[in-house]
Amino acid sequence: MGPGEVPEGGSAVARSLARFLPALLIVAGVCYDFLTPVAFTAVPFFTAAPLIAAPLSALRTTVLTGVAAFLATYAVHARFGFFPDADALTEILTVATVAVLAVGINRIVRIGDQRLASAREIAEAAQRAVLPEPAERIGGFEIAARYEAAHEGAFIGGDLYAVQDTPYGVRLVVGDVRGKGMGAVAAVAVVIGAFREAAEQEATLEAVAGRLERALVREAVRRGGVEAEEGFATAVLAELPHADGGGGDGDGSGSGDGNGDGKGHGEGTVRIVNRGHPPPLLLHGDGRVSAVRAPEAALPLGMGELGAWPDRAAEHAFPGGATLLLYTDGLSEARDAHGRFYDPERRLAGRTFAAPGALLARLAAEVRRHTGGGMTDDMALLAVRRP
């Protein structure tokens, strides 16, 4: 569970009650048998108890529940001196058989749980390798990132984020690769790998975008099939001068004019290259929210052959105390039961947050609530705050 995430109290309570249910059933069965005529049987209570314990409890508890159900069945009949009553023997054997079956079910469930836990550990390791959690402070900025999978138990899909401290400033990317499954995860790894290398080597944000374009095209060609024709990713890249005024021409010392020529740009600004992605939001310290829109529309990464025009980074003011929020369409296209979209710009207006992590935790909780827990798309969030 991520920081600030609301625990699922209702399901926890229901699970706790379910663990006590086998004992309650046995007690209820005994009471039922003692309070009703001999012709009535409490066997349904006694057989249900171990079957309910099997998937929810440990092996020891399941065995004890089965033994208790068997002894309770024997006791309620023994008081009538049942031998050689065929019906009583049949009921006792039925409870014993169900108890043995419950033990077998418990072992099957436990083996499945172990395999699922192993798969989850592998998925978590893959997520940490592909989408590592950024440090809380990078280049003088406060950073927070969050990945929310649409399906519970999933860890990573086609959404991505990355933060890199470079000689040219702190560079960021948030994107969304077309497709699902392992193919999308492979493309995410390619884009992030290309970004980390290009962010260190390329003097301009436009050149970084060009490197991502070429990397994604190579990956689509390698995979072949429909991916060679339709493989693309929407992405937004951002570049922030170091909060101490550093950055610039490769040695961290320039203070240049922000014209995209490889020199630094003024402190208190952010440069954005948007390739078909939802625009970032700028949350001011006084609660105002504004979308950082690109002056010109651009195609997603991987679709450059459809139109050859150069990327142009747009520069925007990024004052102290403001937070830049980059996100994927899992946030802006989350729908409620009536088909209404979640509008982050409107929802965040007039609100302030103590830290980027608190902002992302609140957004994740609100989107889950807005969709009723039924998100249909993954959501990647990245927030950067200038102190």
Side-chain angles (χ1 to χ4, degrees):
M1 182 177 297
E5 188 173 335
V6 180
E8 297 181 0
S11 73
V13 172
R15 194 171 182 85
S16 298
L17 290 175
R19 288 175 176 169
F20 288 105
L21 187 56
L24 294 176
L25 284 172
I26 293 175
V27 172
V30 172
C31 294
Y32 177 86
D33 201 273
F34 273 87
L35 297 175
T36 57
V38 177
F40 291 84
T41 178
V43 165
F45 291 93
F46 299 140
T47 55
L51 289 177
I52 292 176
L56 299 177
S57 306
L59 176 62
R60 175 186 174 89
T61 303
T62 302
V63 171
L64 291 176
T65 302
V67 171
F70 175 82
L71 293 177
T73 307
Y74 182 90
V76 297
H77 285 292
R79 68 190 181 95
F80 295 114
F82 64 91
F83 292 106
D85 189 330
D87 291 339
L89 286 172
T90 300
E91 291 181 2
I92 292 175
L93 288 174
T94 298
V95 173
T97 302
V98 171
V100 172
L101 289 175
V103 172
I105 293 171
N106 178 271
R107 298 312 303 147
I108 293 173
V109 171
R110 294 287 82 79
I111 292 172
D113 287 345
Q114 292 171 1
R115 291 177 177 173
L116 178 59
S118 176
R120 289 174 67 87
E121 289 177 2
I122 294 172
E124 288 177 348
Q127 183 184 42
R128 287 192 296 268
V130 178
L131 296 178
E133 191 78 13
E136 293 183 359
R137 291 186 70 88
I138 299 178
F141 297 93
E142 299 175 16
I143 307 285
R146 192 180 186 103
Y147 194 101
E148 289 287 320
H151 303 289
E152 186 177 359
F155 287 89
I156 187 172
D159 290 9
L160 62 96
Y161 60 78
V163 183
Q164 190 86 355
D165 192 6
T166 77
Y168 312 101
V170 178
R171 287 174 167 173
L172 314 95
V173 64
V174 168
D176 187 356
V177 173
R178 187 199 72 84
K180 301 290 183 183
M182 294 307 299
V185 174
V188 165
V190 168
V191 172
I192 291 180
F195 169 78
R196 295 201 179 280
E197 182 179 15
E200 290 285 346
Q201 297 176 352
E202 298 293 347
T204 68
L205 198 60
E206 294 90 338
V208 176
R211 288 274 289 271
L212 300 189
E213 169 83 28
R214 294 190 292 274
L216 199 57
V217 169
R218 286 195 303 269
E219 173 65 10
V221 171
R222 183 190 67 80
R223 291 163 65 185
V226 69
E227 297 297 335
E229 303 295 332
E230 300 182 7
F232 66 88
T234 66
V236 59
L237 296 93
E239 181 182 89
L240 305 164
H242 293 100
D244 59 2
D249 59 2
D251 60 1
S253 61
S255 60
D257 56 10
N259 59 5
D261 60 359
K263 298 179 181 179
H265 46 92
E267 185 181 356
T269 61
V270 56
R271 302 182 75 229
I272 300 289
V273 169
N274 194 323
R275 297 294 297 269
H277 200 77
L281 297 179
L282 190 62
L283 285 66
H284 297 267
D286 59 4
R288 289 182 295 116
V289 178
S290 58
V292 183
R293 304 188 185 280
E296 298 180 10
L299 291 172
L301 297 170
M303 301 181 68
E305 64 180 15
L306 300 181
W309 58 81
D311 286 302
R312 297 187 182 278
E315 188 169 295
H316 301 267
F318 187 23
T323 301
L324 183 69
L325 173 64
L326 298 88
Y327 57 91
T328 57
D329 57 10
L331 174 66
S332 56
E333 295 185 2
R335 301 189 186 205
D336 64 11
H338 303 288
R340 292 187 294 261
F341 290 110
Y342 181 89
D343 184 353
E345 185 173 356
R346 181 178 62 83
R347 294 292 191 97
L348 294 173
R351 302 166 66 183
T352 58
F353 300 88
L359 165 63
L360 300 192
R362 176 54 56 188
L363 277 174
E366 288 187 3
V367 169
R368 289 284 182 187
R369 189 161 52 247
H370 180 79
T371 60
M375 292 173 59
T376 58
D377 196 5
D378 294 353
M379 178 173 66
L381 306 171
L382 181 62
V384 186
R385 183 177 186 179
R386 180 182 294 279

